[in-house]
Amino acid sequence: MTTETKPHLSRAHVQDLLRGMIRIRRFEDKCAELYTREKIRGFLHLYDGEEAVAMGVIPVLEAADRVVATYREHGHALARGVAMGPILAEMYGKANGCSGGRGGSMHLFDAASNFYGGNAIVGGGLPLAAGLGLADRMQDDKNVTACFFGEGAVAEGEFHEAMNLTELWDLPVLWVCENNGYAMGSALARTESQTDIHAKAAAYGIESEVVDGMDVVAVEAAARRAVAKIREDGRPYLLEARTYRFRPHSMFDAQLYRDKAEIAEWRAKGPILRFQGWLLENGLIHEADIITMTAEIDAEIAEAVAFAEAGAWEPVGTLTKHVMSERRAVVPAAPEPAGERIEMTYREAVKQAIREAMTKDDRVFLMGEDVGAYGGCYAVSQGVVAGFGETRIRDTPLSESGFTGAGIGAAAAGMRPIVELMTVNFSMLALDQILNTAATIRHMSGGQFGCPVVIRMATGAGKQLAAQHSHSLEGWYAHIPGLRVLAPATLEDARGMLLTALEDPDPVLIFENVMLYNMTGQIAETAGAVDIDKAAIRRPGRDVSLITYGGTLFKTLAAAEELAKEGIEAEVIDMRILRPLDEETILASVARTRRAVVVDEGWRTGSLAAEVSARITEGTFWRLDAPVGRVCSVEVPIPYAAHLEQAAIPQVDAIVAAARAAMGKG
């Protein structure tokens, strides 16, 4: 052990360690009391017994380093320097809480101390931490991201995906497993075939070690070794701290899965009792010192309670604040004159946007399955790696949750990643990271952290890829607050929406219909970024509004041409933006035509078409001359056989028939 990595057990230092642990313990004792008085509600997971881990690791970090915690994160937050008053106010749900009252006990955030919050999803913070490390690696920063998780998380796929990514890409992440023996109420031996957690990390080639998590000096020594090693070689390191929580999993837990004798045995070797006894025995501290520091801590806790009690509740009028950023990117005006028009495919339009964005902004990079050497499943990125290299055109493992979460983490750290998911069906494996992190981090942190990630994926049917590659699930994502959901259908939108999305401060999902990639058309040579707020009228008309998006746009335009032969002038609305919907353009069109048909490749039940239909009914009911019609996919998994696949999804004749019915001519 070198001088630099060895703890210096001066009187001041050991007092700081003991004070920190007692401070966490007494704060949590007060929290337990406040919970019984119903001042704190929801889940409350206490750290009682594990204080040596937080105090042994976190003070070793530097200010620029980042911390990702779990739902049992009060001790981590206190050790990191987050003020006690705002922590407790957050647990009350008050506006003066560290997350503005939007996160609560499980979601403490503090941007000033690079505390990236607790995470209530078991293992959910690991991909985020990998992404923070990825940002540091790509920007050549020498920071360390410390990620805390419990032993229950090692059963999650995200643990294994994150371990693989950090070792594969040499990411500077300190993994700290707080092995307290019980994943909620299940002992480790009942849930894991391999209970040696550091061996799991070693299997990925990650340097790892086991440390006595009840010994704060041993934890600090291990943390110093690990952090020094990470700063030296930029590679991940895992500490398995074997510890024990004295209290139940949460305050709801009746704790029937372990007996009192076991708890008493562990309490006898608790980190505070053990360290304090050693200090007294060796004369490094005196009883009077303990009495003094305890009194000071109790005074601080009393001030924190007063701070929380005096805090105001967030006004209901600001309920929707911090769902999306209030600062939006300004879309540049189209160049005048538009310039020469050139022919290209939809695929090439997306590729040009990727190239342009990466050329202009070093923070932009593309990551996903086979996007590099292979050129992408749909050849969108074919040849791009030659111009930008494997660092910025980053092939990922087949681990959708892991690499999507890493993209989210990199975005939270200031990068501008484009994450490509091969198909919308595969995106279900990444739904945890998209829903529970990307869409919520701004809100849960009270606006302290954003997530400017762009996630692209292929959607739709028509290529005989059967039921696990062919569905249109974008309506599911359009259901989620905190996301912006786009469906470009034209060449201009395929190119320009991506450019604008990369300037957006919020997570943007782009759904590219598989049947459009080979579509060829004319586009202005100078085409650039486009608006991502408004729907577009693709064909004006007076008799019926046909409302659609993405892959069904051109079928709908073809249907409008057929209807025109019968004297029915249909107006075709391309929604383009599925969340937030441009209700104004849709309702204005229906108010003019007095009839509407919504065309959606999603299934009818619970569909985006159902949402649009409901909004039309709510907004223009007294103007309607006919019920709103819908043309959706048949409610079957998409079949393989070509004739069945075509029968399952909207076609021109069905759109024409629905429009005729709306006109009373069906």
Side-chain angles (χ1 to χ4, degrees):
M1 187 183 296
T2 67
T3 303
E4 296 165 346
T5 59
K6 183 178 180 179
H8 299 284
L9 299 182
S10 64
R11 176 175 165 82
H13 183 55
V14 297
Q15 282 201 345
D16 285 344
L17 291 177
L18 182 61
R19 175 188 294 272
M21 290 195 292
I22 293 175
R23 183 169 174 258
I24 293 169
R25 176 75 59 85
R26 294 186 76 83
F27 173 77
E28 293 215 313
D29 286 345
K30 175 57 71 171
C31 288
E33 174 197 325
L34 293 167
Y35 189 88
T36 62
R37 292 166 52 194
E38 298 191 354
K39 296 289 187 178
I40 299 171
R41 303 310 299 143
F43 287 126
L44 178 62
H45 306 86
L46 298 177
Y47 200 57
D48 191 0
E50 302 178 62
E51 299 88 353
V53 184
M55 284 306 302
V57 173
I58 292 176
V60 172
L61 303 173
E62 295 180 357
D65 296 332
R66 303 182 180 93
V67 175
V68 177
T70 70
Y71 46 78
R72 200 183 304 280
E73 87 275 33
H74 319 125
H76 306 114
L78 288 169
R80 185 56 174 168
V82 184
M84 186 182 288
I87 290 175
L88 190 56
E90 185 61 35
M91 297 167 77
Y92 271 51
K94 295 290 187 72
N96 60 339
C98 61
S99 304
R102 286 172 163 78
S105 170
M106 296 187 288
H107 305 291
L108 305 175
F109 288 85
D110 185 59
S113 61
N114 275 322
F115 194 78
Y116 277 70
N119 197 308
I121 308 301
V122 175
L126 277 76
L128 175 72
L132 296 172
L134 176 60
D136 285 332
R137 167 63 68 191
M138 294 187 70
Q139 296 176 104
D140 201 28
D141 289 330
K142 301 303 180 183
N143 303 325
V144 173
T145 294
C147 180
F148 294 83
F149 57 96
E151 80 290 340
V154 305
E156 298 283 355
E158 286 166 320
F159 167 82
H160 297 277
E161 293 179 24
M163 292 300 114
N164 183 49
L165 277 177
T166 49
E167 176 62 21
L168 180 68
W169 291 344
D170 289 341
L171 304 183
V173 179
L174 172 61
W175 301 113
V176 183
C177 177
E178 297 176 308
N179 181 356
N180 62 37
Y182 289 90
M184 195 166 174
S186 296
L188 187 63
R190 291 202 296 268
T191 60
E192 289 292 310
S193 60
Q194 168 57 274
T195 59
D196 191 348
I197 292 167
H198 97 287
K200 294 176 186 283
Y204 289 97
I206 294 176
E207 190 166 352
S208 62
E209 61 178 292
V210 176
V211 62
D212 181 355
M214 309 302 270
D215 182 345
V216 69
V217 176
V219 174
E220 182 187 343
R224 286 184 177 276
R225 286 193 298 272
V227 170
K229 189 75 165 55
I230 294 169
R231 293 202 200 283
E232 178 185 341
D233 62 20
R235 299 180 65 246
Y237 200 107
L238 182 137
L239 295 179
E240 179 190 346
R242 293 182 179 169
T243 181
Y244 194 86
R245 55 173 169 81
F246 299 149
R247 288 183 179 267
H249 169 71
S250 75
M251 292 295 286
F252 278 116
D253 178 11
Q255 204 169 193
L256 302 176
Y257 47 86
R258 57 184 184 178
D259 57 42
K260 291 180 180 179
E262 177 183 313
I263 299 170
E265 180 184 347
W266 276 94
R267 275 198 179 276
K269 51 187 178 184
I272 296 175
L273 185 65
R274 181 175 176 179
F275 189 54
Q276 183 174 290
W278 182 80
L279 293 177
L280 289 169
E281 183 181 333
N282 287 276
L284 290 170
I285 202 167
H286 305 292
E287 291 286 358
D289 298 321
I290 298 170
I291 292 169
T292 299
M293 73 171 60
T294 301
E296 291 170 349
I297 290 166
D298 287 346
E300 182 188 10
I301 292 170
E303 289 179 10
V305 172
F307 181 85
E309 292 282 355
W313 300 106
E314 183 80 10
V316 174
T318 61
L319 174 64
T320 58
K321 188 178 181 183
H322 302 313
V323 177
M324 306 286 280
S325 174
E326 296 173 1
R327 296 181 296 105
R328 292 293 314 288
V330 177
V331 181
E336 293 293 343
E340 183 181 344
R341 295 185 69 78
I342 56 176
E343 183 134 335
M344 71 172 60
T345 62
Y346 183 102
R347 172 187 295 105
E348 182 63 28
V350 179
K351 182 186 298 185
Q352 285 197 7
I354 294 170
R355 280 197 173 117
E356 180 179 332
M358 292 182 65
T359 300
K360 289 182 176 178
D361 190 342
D362 289 341
R363 298 174 301 168
V364 177
F365 67 99
L366 174 68
M367 63 189 295
E369 296 147 322
D370 291 321
V371 298
Y374 191 86
C377 179
Y378 293 97
V380 170
S381 56
Q382 197 168 65
V384 180
V385 68
F388 296 96
E390 294 181 0
T391 298
R392 294 183 67 195
I393 304 295
R394 190 171 284 266
D395 280 319
T396 66
L398 306 183
S399 57
E400 287 82 3
S401 188
F403 72 73
T404 301
I408 290 165
M415 299 295 282
R416 291 293 184 271
I418 305 169
V419 177
E420 179 176 313
L421 289 161
M422 196 175 288
T423 80
V424 68
N425 294 74
F426 293 0
S427 76
M428 294 295 99
L429 296 166
L431 183 58
D432 169 38
Q433 291 296 315
I434 296 170
L435 168 62
N436 287 317
T437 302
T440 61
I441 192 169
R442 183 181 298 282
H443 183 75
M444 289 193 307
S445 69
Q448 295 179 83
F449 294 105
C451 181
V453 66
V454 174
I455 302 173
R456 298 175 37 251
M457 64 190 88
T459 187
K463 289 189 172 290
Q464 286 192 257
L465 300 177
Q468 294 181 341
H469 283 68
S470 305
H471 292 133
S472 294
L473 305 180
E474 49 273 12
W476 292 13
Y477 289 99
H479 179 69
I480 302 171
L483 302 178
R484 187 170 296 275
V485 180
L486 312 180
T490 67
L491 298 184
E492 288 80 7
D493 281 356
R495 177 181 169 84
M497 280 186 162
L498 177 57
L499 294 172
T500 308
L502 285 164
E503 299 293 331
D504 200 276
D506 294 308
V508 180
L509 273 57
I510 302 179
F511 292 87
E512 300 161 2
N513 190 279
V514 293
M515 298 307 292
L516 297 178
Y517 284 125
N518 290 329
M519 180 184 72
T520 301
Q522 296 281 322
I523 184 173
E525 196 172 29
T526 54
V530 301
D531 163 70
I532 58 171
D533 289 300
K534 302 293 289 182
I537 300 175
R538 299 299 186 191
R539 186 186 194 280
R542 64 177 184 271
D543 297 321
V544 60
S545 298
L546 303 181
I547 303 155
T548 190
Y549 69 91
T552 53
L553 172 63
F554 297 99
K555 293 178 182 178
T556 305
L557 287 168
E561 291 298 319
E562 289 297 313
L563 291 165
K565 296 174 184 176
E566 304 173 18
I568 300 172
E569 290 298 328
E571 181 155 283
V572 177
I573 305 294
D574 177 4
M575 289 190 285
R576 303 172 67 239
I577 299 92
L578 308 185
R579 185 176 186 100
L581 280 171
D582 177 12
E583 192 173 297
E584 181 182 0
T585 298
I586 294 169
L587 296 186
S589 174
V590 177
R592 287 192 302 272
T593 66
R594 308 178 75 88
R595 298 172 178 86
V597 173
V598 188
V599 184
D600 177 6
E601 200 170 304
W603 293 298
R604 182 183 182 91
T605 301
S607 63
L608 190 62
E611 175 64 27
V612 175
S613 175
R615 295 202 191 191
I616 291 170
T617 303
E618 291 166 353
T620 64
F621 180 78
W622 301 109
R623 307 285 297 271
L624 290 173
D625 286 343
V628 178
R630 287 189 284 157
V631 181
C632 299
S633 287
V634 178
E635 302 210 355
V636 297
I638 297 298
Y640 165 72
H643 68 292
L644 294 177
E645 180 180 36
Q646 292 304 308
I649 61 178
Q651 301 296 348
V652 173
D653 57 350
I655 301 169
V656 169
R660 285 176 180 154
M663 297 295 297
K665 298 182 178 182

